Amino acid sequence: MKKFGFLSLGLIGGSIALAIRQIIPDAEIIAYARRQETLDEALRAGAIDKGVTSVNDSFHNCDMIFLCAPVAVNNDFLKLLAPIISEKTIITDVGSVKGSIHKAVGQLGLTANFIGGHPMAGSEKTGFANANPLILENAYYILTPTQNVPDEAVSEYYSLVKKMGAIPLVLSHKEHDYVTAAISHVPHLVAAALANLVHDHDSAEGTMKLIAAGGFKDITRIASSSPDMWESICMANAENIADLLDDYIRSLQTVSEAVRARRSGFTFDLFKASKEYRDSFADAPKGPIKKIYACCVDIPDEAGSIAKVAALLAKSDISIKNIGIVHNREYEEGVLRVEFYEEAALDKAVSLFQSLSYTVYERS
């Protein structure tokens, strides 16, 4: 019988525990949490078999231990686990930055026992109360194994991720941090800076805020993310973020100079190149940024689920513009994304889904 341990049991840790319970019903699952109330909630939900409020020998013979706290706390957990775990134990984490924990693993001599993990799923909601195994379905789940961890352990983790319904991808921890800096960390900073730029240049009457519409809202949507979480991420991946920001600033300076000089063809080429690249993304909208009427819906990952949703909408005379699975769900809720041609259709669809007890997340 497999034994899994969880150190901290919030949204992601709780969701993974629930997913494991579904696919390995007889697994033994033990969890640490600071608050007994969290453990009691997880016990009632059947997510765990035992809860403890201290990191102790209960974790000795675990096959796998998930570290589900912020980076600095996970590093402290490693120190507590080092003298406790058995040779077979694999430790993993769920953080969005890998450099710091891989360094700590090396310093503690745990490289034969560690595989970094990053499920690219999440929500603005926190805590075990919001845990849901569907969060993981069809989401990319990046693994960053050390050079010394057994290949068999990587294969088993890879298989577990697939069974949970996620899409595993193996990268080095350095490549992971550089990639996530480019596609996630820098864009969040850019969105925050742009939102603050408009705030700082708006009139006393708030005219810019009043008329801000689709394009601006789309670009700055992620500026609404948790300040605490993003402060931690930026400090943990500072060099990659700063290097990419420097490149971006230089490119913006070039754009600024070309626009000020009214350099003919420059902006055309800029938009043409960016459009071609952005349109090559699987879910990219064609043409200029337009108002998007979309929602995300949690559905089970089983045959016929998408067809059932499409049939429900068709039966209610609601036309679909686009429908697809969301793979990178770290900052996007709902496994199925449905886009409509107009706001009225979106409102009607949301009401329909809610009346049938689907969990729906509207895109703002």
Side-chain angles (χ1 to χ4, degrees):
M1 181 173 65
K2 289 286 186 180
K3 181 176 180 180
F4 296 89
F6 287 82
L7 270 58
S8 196
L9 204 60
L11 174 71
I12 297 299
S15 296
I16 293 173
L18 287 168
I20 289 174
R21 178 63 77 208
Q22 286 184 353
I23 61 176
I24 314 176
D26 63 347
E28 182 183 356
I29 304 177
I30 178 174
Y32 157 86
R34 289 181 302 163
R35 297 171 58 249
Q36 184 62 46
E37 293 88 341
T38 300
L39 297 172
D40 291 341
E41 190 175 10
L43 285 164
R44 286 193 298 270
I48 64 174
D49 300 293
K50 179 181 178 181
V52 295
T53 53
S54 64
V55 181
N56 54 43
D57 287 342
S58 300
F59 294 92
H60 167 67
N61 59 342
C62 283
D63 294 282
M64 197 166 193
I65 298 175
F66 291 82
L67 309 182
C68 305
V71 173
V73 179
N74 283 341
N75 290 350
D76 290 336
F77 282 155
L78 284 172
K79 297 173 187 175
L80 296 175
L81 289 172
I84 293 175
I85 63 170
S86 66
E87 289 185 6
K88 71 171 184 176
T89 302
I90 294 298
I91 301 173
T92 187
D93 72 319
V94 298
S96 62
V97 180
K98 288 285 165 276
S100 174
I101 195 162
H102 272 266
K103 181 178 179 181
V105 164
Q107 291 171 340
L108 291 167
L110 294 172
T111 55
N113 302 88
F114 186 78
I115 304 171
H118 179 193
M120 301 192 74
S123 164
E124 82 281 358
K125 300 180 181 70
T126 58
F128 181 83
N130 295 296
N132 183 348
L134 288 176
I135 284 176
L136 302 169
E137 290 190 348
N138 293 293
Y140 285 114
Y141 196 125
I142 300 175
L143 306 183
T144 61
T146 67
Q147 292 184 338
N148 295 332
V149 74
D151 291 340
E152 181 183 353
V154 179
S155 296
E156 287 185 9
Y157 194 0
Y158 192 97
S159 176
L160 177 66
V161 168
K162 291 186 71 174
K163 289 176 182 176
M164 289 192 290
I167 303 170
L169 182 65
V170 179
L171 300 175
S172 71
H173 73 272
K174 290 182 179 179
E175 183 179 9
H176 168 276
D177 285 358
Y178 188 71
V179 168
T180 53
I183 66 165
S184 178
H185 306 164
V186 168
H188 274 77
L189 286 168
V190 170
L194 181 58
N196 288 330
L197 174 73
V198 171
H199 170 271
D200 294 344
H201 288 78
D202 205 354
S203 63
E205 296 78 22
T207 305
M208 292 182 183
K209 179 180 178 181
L210 177 66
I211 66 174
F216 181 78
K217 288 183 178 179
D218 282 342
I219 294 170
T220 59
R221 179 176 59 88
I222 54 177
S224 296
S225 299
S226 164
D228 289 334
M229 179 180 73
W230 281 97
E231 166 77 4
S232 175
I233 288 172
C234 289
M235 295 304 98
N237 202 20
E239 289 195 16
N240 283 322
I241 293 172
D243 287 347
L244 286 162
L245 273 176
D246 287 344
D247 287 346
Y248 183 56
I249 290 167
R250 282 190 288 270
S251 71
L252 284 179
Q253 187 62 46
T254 300
V255 173
S256 174
E257 291 168 357
V259 170
R260 190 178 297 278
R262 293 178 172 81
R263 193 181 308 159
S264 178
F266 179 89
T267 52
F268 176 88
D269 291 341
L270 176 71
F271 281 111
K272 183 174 183 291
S274 65
K275 180 183 186 305
E276 288 174 354
Y277 181 64
R278 181 63 179 87
D279 285 356
S280 70
F281 293 9
D283 62 347
K286 306 303 182 198
I289 293 176
K290 299 179 178 69
K291 175 67 175 177
I292 293 175
Y293 305 105
C295 66
C296 291
V297 186
D298 273 341
I299 62 170
D301 187 12
E302 59 189 29
S305 290
I306 296 178
K308 181 179 178 181
V309 169
L312 287 169
L313 293 170
K315 188 175 180 180
S316 297
D317 241 2
I318 302 172
S319 296
I320 301 172
K321 183 178 182 181
N322 200 1
I323 188 169
I325 295 295
V326 178
H327 295 303
N328 182 346
R329 299 180 56 206
E330 191 163 18
Y331 312 106
E332 183 92 49
E333 295 176 326
V335 66
L336 183 70
R337 184 179 184 277
V338 190
E339 187 176 340
F340 305 90
Y341 288 97
E342 55 189 19
E343 190 170 9
L346 169 62
D347 293 341
K348 188 177 179 181
V350 169
S351 296
L352 174 65
F353 289 142
Q354 291 175 339
S355 71
L356 296 171
S357 300
Y358 283 93
T359 301
V360 184
Y361 308 95
E362 288 190 69
R363 178 169 178 166
S364 57

